[in-house]
Amino acid sequence: MLLAALLALPVWAARPLELGLTPAFLHDQHFLLQEWKAYLEKKLHRQVNFVLRDSYRETMDLIEQDRLDFAWVCDYPYVMLQSRVRLLATPLYQKRPYYRSYLIVPARDRYTSGIAQLKGQVFAYADPYSNTGYLAPRYEIKRLGENPDGFFRKTFFTWSHRKAIEAVALGLAQGAAVDSYIWDSLARVEPELTSRTRIVQRSEEFGFPPFVANRKVNEADLLALRQVLTGMTQDPEGRALLAKLNLDGFIESRPELYATVAEMFRLVDGAHR
């Protein structure tokens, strides 16, 4: 009887799946990460390792070195890695596959209404490979007819959107551009932090940062993870996890979601990368 029961159990694949996360997502929510890992393993019948790094570039390097099977990346790195990855799934945020860049200033600044008024000030960038935290504000400066490299008196990188928000809240920078999903999510759980900043400008919509698969991943593994992610709305445990992630679900990704970022990259930073 015991042998029959053991033989009936699902057989786990021998090799774990390596799934990278950039610092935009969940690094300080370790219990939630453990819950999500357990959920994916149960659904896939396979060990899943979350691989966290402190910069977007580090995650991109791991993909290029074929050390990751999958990754949740910003839309900007996806554009740069298109020859090395395939789109897997795109999250739904507020029921749509989009997000924005928020230009923020200290809450006590009641004057600034756009990035033009921050010329000559100190500005915090999230990461040099972030769309909402780097490419988008540089694109706006370029649209003003200005040189993004000399527009601010001083710039620095915080290496995460949360830390960019903190830099503005503490007055270390007069402005920053941050991921709307991160700012909105923090506003739910740490309103005392976001209330010390003020959103003065919202960008156009961009395709939400996608899950991607290394092109060397086989089709069966790709389809299995896509099915699990897009099926999270179909069971109570999945819906509970989505609520904690402040997401509404996942859909199969479409390349056209990221066409705007690809064009911005070409116009602003393409010659420098």
Side-chain angles (χ1 to χ4, degrees):
M1 292 290 291
L2 178 59
L3 178 60
L6 289 173
L7 290 174
L9 292 173
V11 178
W12 280 33
R15 189 181 71 80
L17 291 177
E18 305 292 330
L19 199 162
L21 296 175
T22 67
F25 312 107
L26 306 173
H27 272 42
D28 57 346
Q29 298 185 47
H30 298 290
F31 291 114
L32 176 53
L33 282 176
Q34 287 302 312
E35 284 185 52
W36 201 12
K37 170 182 161 71
Y39 178 85
L40 293 176
E41 289 180 336
K42 182 171 67 175
K43 294 291 186 178
L44 293 167
H45 307 301
R46 189 164 187 175
Q47 183 179 343
V48 175
N49 293 330
F50 282 141
V51 181
L52 280 63
R53 289 295 183 266
D54 292 327
S55 73
Y56 291 38
R57 181 69 259 177
E58 289 176 276
T59 300
M60 294 165 68
D61 287 344
L62 291 177
I63 293 171
E64 292 174 334
Q65 296 162 9
D66 296 326
R67 293 169 60 190
L68 291 177
D69 300 301
F70 302 98
W72 191 6
V73 298
C74 182
D75 43 352
Y76 188 13
Y78 161 67
V79 166
M80 300 181 72
L81 290 169
Q82 284 184 78
S83 65
R84 303 298 299 267
V85 300
R86 297 169 60 188
L87 285 170
L88 179 73
T90 295
L92 293 174
Y93 175 55
Q94 297 179 348
K95 301 184 178 179
R96 304 176 70 246
Y98 301 102
Y99 78 140
R100 301 176 188 268
S101 175
Y102 285 171
L103 179 67
I104 62 172
V105 299
R108 64 179 178 276
D109 175 0
R110 308 309 300 176
Y111 166 75
T112 301
S113 60
I115 201 165
Q117 293 158 298
L118 291 174
K119 184 175 182 178
Q121 300 296 318
V122 177
F123 196 84
Y125 286 125
D127 186 287
Y129 293 92
S130 167
N131 171 29
T132 52
Y134 183 72
L135 179 63
R138 288 171 63 83
Y139 176 70
E140 287 302 316
I141 293 166
K142 191 100 170 179
R143 290 178 63 184
L144 294 174
E146 300 272 6
N147 177 5
D149 293 326
F151 185 77
F152 299 111
R153 174 168 57 86
K154 177 183 177 182
T155 62
F156 60 94
F157 291 108
T158 64
W159 305 105
S160 80
H161 291 275
R162 181 200 172 93
K163 290 179 181 177
I165 294 167
E166 290 174 347
V168 172
L170 293 170
L172 301 177
Q174 280 78 60
V178 299
D179 180 324
S180 64
Y181 164 70
I182 300 297
W183 194 98
D184 291 345
S185 296
L186 282 171
R188 290 176 51 183
V189 297
E190 294 187 51
E192 69 280 1
L193 171 60
T194 53
S195 67
R196 293 161 67 188
T197 71
R198 182 171 67 89
I199 301 168
V200 298
Q201 193 171 341
R202 291 170 170 82
S203 74
E204 64 182 295
E205 291 183 320
F206 306 115
F208 202 98
F211 269 81
V212 298
N214 189 312
R215 285 194 178 271
K216 294 190 176 182
V217 168
N218 66 57
E219 192 73 9
D221 288 342
L222 184 151
L223 292 176
L225 182 55
R226 176 182 288 157
Q227 183 175 11
V228 170
L229 291 174
T230 57
M232 287 181 71
T233 57
Q234 303 306 309
D235 66 81
E237 188 178 357
R239 290 192 294 272
L241 275 168
L242 287 169
K244 293 177 183 179
L245 289 163
N246 196 22
L247 295 173
D248 297 302
F250 290 86
I251 60 169
E252 184 173 346
S253 297
R254 307 189 308 271
E256 57 267 25
L257 285 171
Y258 306 101
T260 299
V261 176
E263 180 63 10
M264 288 165 55
F265 167 57
R266 186 187 69 79
L267 293 173
V268 179
D269 278 336
H272 304 296
R273 301 298 173 101

